[in-house]
Amino acid sequence: MRHAVVMAGGSGTRLWPLSRGGRPKQLLDVVAGGDGGAHSLLAEAFARLEAVLPADRIWVCTAARYGEQVRAALPQLRPDRLVLEPVARDTANAVGLAAALVADVDPDAELAVVSADHVIRPVERFAAALTTAYDALAARPRSLVTLGIRPTAPATGFGYVQRGAPTEVPGVAEAASFREKPDRATAEAYLASGEYLWNSGMFVWRAATVLQALADHLPATAEGLARVVAVPAGPQRDAVLAEVFPTLPKISVDYAVLEPAAAEPGRVLVADLDVDWLDVGSWPALAQTLERVGEDAVSGLAVTVDSAGNIVFSDDPDHLVALVGVRDSVVVHTADVTMVCPVSDAERVKQLLAAVEARHGSRFS
């Protein structure tokens, strides 16, 4: 059967001080809804999958410390569909753990892996592309299918995947190569060629296939996960997981699985995902989901005079943020932190948080 897992374990440090270690960005109500309210990235990711799958075949993988918050945010999530990582060990182990637990209940499972960090519109085109990726897996059961986003600009912040020969499934090609984040000139060449897609970090594969790939290329992880699922679900399995998981080698799924597999012609496929896609990983990205007030992106109570290009965010409905003559700045107010930085330095927020932690410990993180 077809299953999917939402990867929701990140801490969202580049959206500090809104996103914190105890309540990360995927659980914050920051995405505007059609009813005038707001909802979380996680809720949106789950709802997208419900356009393709029944809720009982949708899983969520997150950090153990976020478990109760995820349960509260997603009452429709079955309790046994929540995968809890004891510690962060990068995406190869998170994806492997999810695959092992899904395969334990459905050995023939076809598994989509999606992120909780994305805003994707319209949902209908996402659902169609995901269904096409599942269809490609049915045609080529050993394949690893990645979803590639049609690029709209020469972005330098994303990896790329090059389309190769078309397959028997319309909209799906063999992946000719994967490219790391390029410089501007290279990104412009990729865009002009029409051969390259943004690598979304979303995949479809058989759970058994990715577990075998881990056995081939990351045997320590495969052996550790096998120990976990060898015991019955419940407290005994949780104890083994807590013992084993922190010892697994820390590595991304791209390095551990996708890149070695890509050396085998026709093994990795890419499905064309033609949608409006936003990876909400920074303040400028989040600003694209916020209300426009004049030339500023605003959430919360704010007044601006002779200001433009700003991102203004306040999570206190009784606290006014007022700007005059301010240009191209990020201004974020929370109960215990006010942060101001140029939009051009927004990628350095993670560096700023490290400096805060060095001086104040975990008090503000």
Side-chain angles (χ1 to χ4, degrees), residues 114-132:
V114 305
S115 173
D117 296 347
H118 301 163
V119 174
I120 300 175
R121 309 281 165 75
V123 170
E124 294 78 13
R125 288 216 299 263
F126 167 81
L130 185 60
T131 300
T132 296

Side-chain angles (χ1 to χ4, degrees), residues 21 23 76 98 112 120 140 171 196 234-235 245 258 280 290 303 349 363:
R23 188 164 177 79
Q76 66 273 53
I120 300 175
R140 300 192 184 190
Y196 289 85
F245 203 77
L258 270 296
V280 186
L290 303 182
V303 174
V349 169
R363 177 182 172 188

Side-chain angles (χ1 to χ4, degrees), residues 88-114:
R89 298 303 293 169
D90 216 325
T91 55
N93 296 296
V95 167
L97 175 60
L101 296 180
V102 172
D104 189 49
V105 301
D106 182 1
D108 296 322
E110 298 173 341
L111 181 62
V113 178
V114 305

Side-chain angles (χ1 to χ4, degrees), residues 137-149:
L137 193 60
R140 300 192 184 190
R142 290 186 64 252
S143 64
L144 304 168
V145 187
T146 184
L147 299 181
I149 309 291

Side-chain angles (χ1 to χ4, degrees), residues 349-361:
V349 169
K350 188 173 182 179
Q351 177 185 345
L352 175 61
L353 175 57
V356 170
E357 290 175 335
R359 180 169 295 186
H360 297 286

Side-chain angles (χ1 to χ4, degrees), residues 308-329:
N310 300 298
I311 303 166
V312 185
F313 197 105
S314 174
D315 65 358
D316 184 345
D318 298 318
H319 183 95
L320 173 67
V321 177
L323 307 181
V324 60
V326 178
R327 298 283 190 276
D328 303 319
S329 295

Side-chain angles (χ1 to χ4, degrees), residues 89 93 97 220-225 241 244-251:
R89 298 303 293 169
N93 296 296
L97 175 60
T221 287
E223 292 164 8
L225 296 176
L241 177 62
V244 169
F245 203 77
T247 70
L248 303 182
K250 197 171 185 179
I251 186 172

